[in-house]
Amino acid sequence: MKKILLFLMLAAPLFAGAQSLFEQADSAYTADDFATAAQLYTTIAETDGTSAPLLYNLGNCYYRMGRNGMAVLMYERALRLDPSMTEARENLAFVNSRLTDRPGERGTFLGNILDSTAGRFSSDFWAWTAMVFFLVTIAGIIVYIFSSSIPLRKTGFFGGIASVIICGIAVFFSFRCAASATDTEQAVILAPSTILSTAPRVPADRSLEAMLLHEGTRLEILDSVRNPTDTIAPLWLDVQVDNTHRAWINARDVERI
């Protein structure tokens, strides 16, 4: 018992310190000192680990500081931890509407609908939904086999069929949501602006320039090439901007979500 009390006495200042950092960060944000607030939130993340609310707060700080790229990155990371966080989703949509670049369509129409639906909730939510309807399916089978009532048997039969379909859909969305949350090939441009190249090196002239993009634009990384002879940009990423634009970008200008 004495050991437990001693541990609590030693741990209490640590918890108080963490709470104090949160209070300091919130106070700095309220006072419009967004740089200090972002620094404190980052310190908390490094010492105590990240969370969706913490990343959301960081996104708000970076937006207030005019760093839209970092704001997009933080909101995206917050939604990966908690896809149901409405505030982060709304703020992300707002910041995206103020970005300079307007990439074209990404992916397929059906794939985008499936990703949007799966991303509304966490993979755990979809997994639990699948489990519930699996149990409903088992209950329907039991009612169909053992009930002597025709209406109940029909209910068990058709209810079981509907439940197993919903269960399969939930399992599909659970795996799709998990795959999206762990996808390391999505990235955001953090540099104020960057010129993409048609080859994995700094463009020597205008003919090798693919396009100009600005911070906050989201990209999909397809491949990477290291160019040891290039001292300015030794690592280049082959990225997909949208369904019709693909080019090479300096790895220093982007960060993976």
Side-chain angles (χ1 to χ4, degrees), residues 2-167:
K2 290 182 178 180
K3 291 183 177 179
I4 296 176
L5 290 175
L6 178 60
F7 169 77
L8 292 176
M9 291 174 63
L10 293 174
L14 298 179
F15 297 144
Q19 182 64 28
S20 178
L21 282 180
F22 269 110
E23 292 174 352
Q24 291 176 43
D26 292 341
S27 298
Y29 185 88
T30 303
D32 293 344
D33 188 357
F34 305 116
T36 300
Q39 183 179 6
L40 290 170
Y41 285 132
T42 301
T43 300
I44 296 170
E46 292 173 348
T47 55
D48 300 330
T50 59
S51 65
L54 184 60
L55 293 170
Y56 169 76
N57 289 345
L58 270 171
N60 292 340
C61 290
Y62 284 123
Y63 172 73
R64 295 289 188 174
M65 294 163 62
R67 299 177 62 182
N68 289 341
M70 286 296 297
V72 169
L73 184 66
M74 294 300 110
Y75 291 141
E76 290 279 7
R77 288 177 175 174
L79 288 170
R80 287 199 171 191
L81 294 179
D82 183 5
S84 64
M85 192 174 191
T86 306
E87 298 89 346
R89 192 175 301 278
E90 291 176 349
N91 284 14
L92 175 61
F94 175 76
V95 176
N96 281 334
S97 70
R98 300 176 67 88
L99 297 180
T100 303
D101 302 320
R102 293 288 183 270
E105 186 70 20
R106 295 187 177 103
T108 63
F109 177 75
L110 178 59
N112 291 336
I113 291 179
L114 293 175
D115 286 336
S116 176
T117 303
R120 289 293 174 179
F121 303 99
S122 67
S123 59
D124 289 342
F125 170 86
W126 290 115
W128 279 109
T129 301
M131 178 63 70
V132 169
F133 279 95
F134 175 75
L135 295 176
V136 172
T137 301
I138 298 299
I141 293 173
I142 293 173
V143 169
Y144 176 76
I145 293 175
F146 295 103
S147 177
S148 58
S149 171
I150 299 300
L152 280 178
R153 294 189 67 188
K154 286 183 177 180
T155 300
F157 178 78
F158 291 108
I161 291 177
S163 295
V164 76
I165 292 174
I166 296 175
C167 177

Side-chain angles (χ1 to χ4, degrees), residues 181-219:
T182 56
D183 184 7
T184 60
E185 303 309 314
Q186 302 297 318
V188 175
I189 296 178
L190 299 186
S193 64
T194 181
I195 298 177
L196 279 68
S197 176
T198 57
R201 57 180 179 273
V202 176
D205 52 56
R206 288 289 185 90
S207 64
L208 296 177
E209 295 179 0
M211 67 192 77
L212 173 67
L213 293 179
H214 302 81
E215 67 173 322
T217 303
R218 181 169 173 168
L219 308 167

